[in-house]
Amino acid sequence: MPTERITFAGHDGNQLAARLDLPDGPVLATALFAHCFTCSKDIPAARRIAARLAAMGFAVLRFDFTGLGHSGGEFANTTFTSNVEDLIAAAHYLAGRNMAPALLIGHSLGGAAVLRARAGIPSVKAVVTLGAPADPGHVSHHFTDALPQIEQDGSAEVMLGGRPFRIGKAFVDDIAESALTPAIADLKAALLILHAPLDETVSIDNASDIFLAAKHPKSFVTLDDADHLITRASDAEYAADVIAAWITRYVPLCPPAPPPGAPEGVVRVSEADPSGFLQDIQSGPRHHAVADEPESYGGTDKGMSPYGFVSSGLGACTSMTIRMYARRKRWPLTGITVDVCHNKVHAQDAGLAGEGKIDQFRRKIRLTGPLDSEQRARLLEIADKCPVHRTLEGSAHITTELLPD
């Protein structure tokens, strides 16, 4: 997907590093993603969710909070409130590009931040949290042993995720005073809570507290045995799928009408499981499927094979073409089934010149209804005029280009 590397001014004027993931077609809506405590915009969960939404037509802005990742400023001088202000600054930046966000997504402490930030971003219609604490003060358990030194010296260096960070007293005081319940109760947006019951960093009780504090519309979906950072590709893809299905109810995604004669839109195929062959397929904002290979070929058999999709396209197009003709003729055709089989055969076996093997698709068509023999014969001829049939029998030209990372 196209990605812009941008910067914008944060709450204190420091430049914050961001990526704006864009759809290949028109932007139908915009989402703003807030990462977890001491993480960055480039964590796998953020990348996968952004890719899934971009395939639907969303532009997704993910950025590093002040003092983290590639953003300017000092982390030691930040607070939970400053994170909220960074989110509002990001929303203002998007609004300045006529892309005011309709969706906020927050992971862990970022989830708490989007719940608080919603009041300052009036364009938002929906909020999603992933593994979010109901109380920002929850993060202090990461550095409990350092609290006395922070209180005494004003700050202390702590190890978080194997990296050193300096935590200031202002941060500790701010999270202690930042009650979220009023903000959740007055959210004025649809809320989706995603949380893993076995999350060892932020317990499932937090999801319950957020859900009970929120007003409808609100939804909760379990992430089963996912870890807190949603590091497994399958868990991130599942979260992305849930968000994609849920958001269409609350954020309208109405693409503009294509000009006459325009080709169909882009189909995006994204690898969902690098250890196997599972692929995520998105066609426009509403249509999603998965492709895979059988277990005997090293796949997980969670979707049709690529050739299964080709056969499906041929069968569907055949049925549609027959129906269109019968409808125009007002013939009494009551039902159509098309069975398609694919295999490799020698060209000579198919009655064609040549020595090599070719792809053979065998169709078996059943037409129901009081049709006479001439009508049935004519509909069989019409089946061969289906556009996909013509494409497969003709010569297609495929061009390929490598996009920058």
Side-chain angles (χ1 to χ4, degrees):
M1 61 190 170
T3 299
E4 290 185 21
R5 289 176 171 82
I6 60 174
T7 60
F8 62 91
H11 73 283
D12 59 358
N14 279 295
Q15 292 297 301
L16 304 185
R19 291 179 184 265
L20 181 62
D21 299 313
L22 296 165
D24 284 314
V27 174
L28 307 183
T30 304
L32 181 55
F33 191 102
H35 62 70
C36 52
F37 183 51
T38 71
C39 294
S40 80
K41 64 183 181 301
D42 297 316
I43 60 172
R47 294 200 310 270
R48 292 188 176 100
I49 291 171
R52 183 75 168 82
L53 292 175
M56 295 178 63
F58 273 87
V60 184
L61 182 70
R62 44 193 173 99
F63 69 97
D64 294 327
F65 283 112
T66 299
L68 292 173
H70 297 95
S71 288
E74 293 293 331
F75 178 76
N77 297 330
T78 64
T79 64
F80 175 71
T81 298
S82 75
N83 286 348
V84 173
E85 292 171 347
D86 280 346
L87 276 167
I88 295 173
H92 287 165
Y93 167 81
L94 289 169
R97 294 184 54 170
N98 294 317
M99 299 168 65
L103 170 64
L104 295 179
I105 305 173
H107 183 196
S108 193
L109 189 62
V114 298
L115 291 170
R116 171 64 64 78
R118 161 63 186 96
I121 311 176
S123 60
V124 169
K125 295 180 174 63
V127 176
V128 177
T129 64
L130 300 103
D135 175 11
H138 180 276
V139 300
S140 64
H141 80 277
H142 289 294
F143 45 85
T144 303
D145 294 343
L147 289 176
Q149 183 183 351
I150 294 172
E151 180 66 27
Q152 176 181 319
D153 300 337
S155 68
E157 188 173 276
V158 300
M159 295 298 294
L160 299 172
R163 294 180 296 157
F165 291 90
R166 182 158 291 276
I167 303 293
K169 186 175 184 300
F171 180 89
V172 174
D173 293 342
D174 188 51
I175 58 174
E177 298 169 0
S178 295
L180 272 185
T181 300
I184 299 171
D186 195 36
L187 195 62
K188 292 185 174 66
L191 175 63
L192 171 62
I193 303 164
L194 297 170
H195 211 113
L198 302 180
D199 190 328
E200 296 180 351
T201 302
V202 179
S203 72
I204 191 66
D205 295 340
N206 288 269
S208 176
D209 291 342
I210 294 172
F211 187 85
L212 292 174
K215 295 182 174 66
H216 285 290
K218 57 183 177 179
S219 305
F220 169 74
V221 176
T222 178
L223 294 179
D224 295 325
D225 60 347
D227 61 17
H228 180 67
L229 293 180
I230 318 179
T231 52
R232 285 190 309 216
S234 58
D235 293 328
E237 292 295 334
Y238 175 71
D241 283 346
V242 171
I243 294 170
W246 176 84
I247 194 57
T248 56
R249 181 174 289 270
Y250 303 106
V251 176
L253 299 174
C254 300
E264 294 184 41
V266 173
V267 174
R268 169 167 287 134
V269 180
S270 304
E271 185 179 58
D273 181 8
S275 64
F277 296 111
L278 185 65
Q279 306 294 317
D280 181 275
I281 303 171
Q282 186 74 32
S283 178
R286 294 184 177 88
H287 306 300
H288 174 251
V290 292
D292 204 346
E293 289 285 1
E295 293 182 2
S296 58
Y297 288 91
T300 51
D301 203 23
K302 293 181 179 178
M304 287 194 297
S305 70
Y307 273 116
F309 277 97
V310 175
S311 298
S312 298
L314 175 60
C317 187
T318 300
S319 180
M320 292 175 185
T321 303
I322 292 172
R323 173 54 66 190
M324 288 174 63
Y325 188 84
R327 185 179 294 149
R328 187 168 65 250
K329 290 290 188 178
R330 300 181 185 275
W331 288 354
L333 175 63
T334 60
I336 309 167
T337 61
V338 183
D339 297 336
V340 181
C341 297
H342 166 263
N343 58 0
K344 295 276 189 180
V345 299
H346 287 284
Q348 293 177 348
D349 294 338
L352 300 174
E355 299 294 332
K357 286 191 173 184
I358 63 168
D359 291 278
Q360 182 182 64
F361 293 88
R362 297 172 55 218
R363 287 182 301 187
K364 295 183 179 181
I365 301 172
R366 178 175 286 107
L367 306 175
T368 58
L371 299 163
D372 60 35
S373 58
E374 290 184 1
Q375 289 171 330
R376 290 178 181 275
R378 179 56 179 158
L379 291 176
L380 186 60
E381 293 176 6
I382 292 299
D384 288 344
K385 299 184 182 299
C386 120
V388 172
H389 180 130
R390 290 179 171 179
T391 298
L392 291 173
E393 282 199 327
S395 56
H397 178 60
I398 300 173
T399 64
T400 305
E401 62 178 305
L402 183 63
L403 299 176
D405 185 8

